[in-house]
Amino acid sequence: QGADGEFQKRGIIIVRDKRDLGFKGRIKGFMETIGKGKAVILVISEKYLKSENCLFELLQTAKNGDFEKRIFPIVLEDARIYKPVDRIRYVQFWEQQLQELDDAMKTVSAANMDGFRNDIDLYAEIRANLPRLTDILKDMNTLTPSIHREADFQTLFEAVMAKLEE
C-alpha cells in the first residue's frame, strides 16, 4: 500500500494524473494545475527524471513559488540524485534529447513546426533547471520509501496536513 492508499484511509484524496486526468484529458493543463497546488507530493524515480511530462510538472511547481515549502518528495532508490556524477547523467540525457530533436528538425522544412518548437523549448528549460532542482531534492531529508511504508506514511501525512492548514 502506497502513500495514496494511506492518505485515502485518512480521508484525503490525492489528485493523481493516472486517476484524475481522464481519457483525452490535456496533460499540460493538468500538470500546470498540479504545479499550483499548495502541497505537491513528488515520487521521484529514474522514470520521473526522464519523463518530459513529469519534469514539466516539476518546473510548473518551481515556477509557482515556495518550491521547497510546497513539495513533499519521496525519492525512490533508482533515482540517482545524491552524487554529482549521477545528477550529471540526467543533464546529459536531456541534452541528448534536445540535440536529437534539434537534429531531426533540421531534416524537414521549418514551416508549421510550432509543436516541435514547444518541445525543444521544454527540453531546453528542463536542461537549464534540472541541476538546481535536483540539488534541492537531494539536499532534503526525504526519508526512504521503506521508512515511509513502515510508518504508514504518517510523517508525510502530518507534513502535508500542516501545509494545507496554513
Side-chain angles (χ1 to χ4, degrees), residues 1-3 6 74 76-77 144-154:
Q1 179 106 332
E6 291 299 329
I74 300 171
L76 302 185
E77 290 178 15
T144 66
S146 60
I147 290 172
H148 279 299
R149 277 191 295 275
E150 288 168 13
D152 294 328
F153 294 87
Q154 185 64 30

Side-chain angles (χ1 to χ4, degrees), residues 2 9 11-12 16 33 35 54 64 67 70 72 76 83 85 92-93 97 100 108 118 120 127 133-134 139 158:
K9 282 184 192 176
I12 302 296
R16 296 187 63 190
T33 300
C54 292
N64 280 290
F67 180 69
R70 293 175 42 244
F72 298 85
L76 302 185
K83 293 183 181 178
V85 72
Q92 290 169 333
F93 173 83
Q97 298 304 302
E100 285 177 12
V108 296
N118 292 340
I120 281 197
R127 163 50 191 102
L133 296 177
T134 55
D139 195 44
E158 289 173 1

Side-chain angles (χ1 to χ4, degrees), residues 149-166:
R149 277 191 295 275
E150 288 168 13
D152 294 328
F153 294 87
Q154 185 64 30
T155 303
L156 177 65
F157 178 78
E158 289 173 1
V160 169
M161 293 309 294
K163 179 64 181 168
L164 293 177
E165 291 169 2
E166 284 181 357

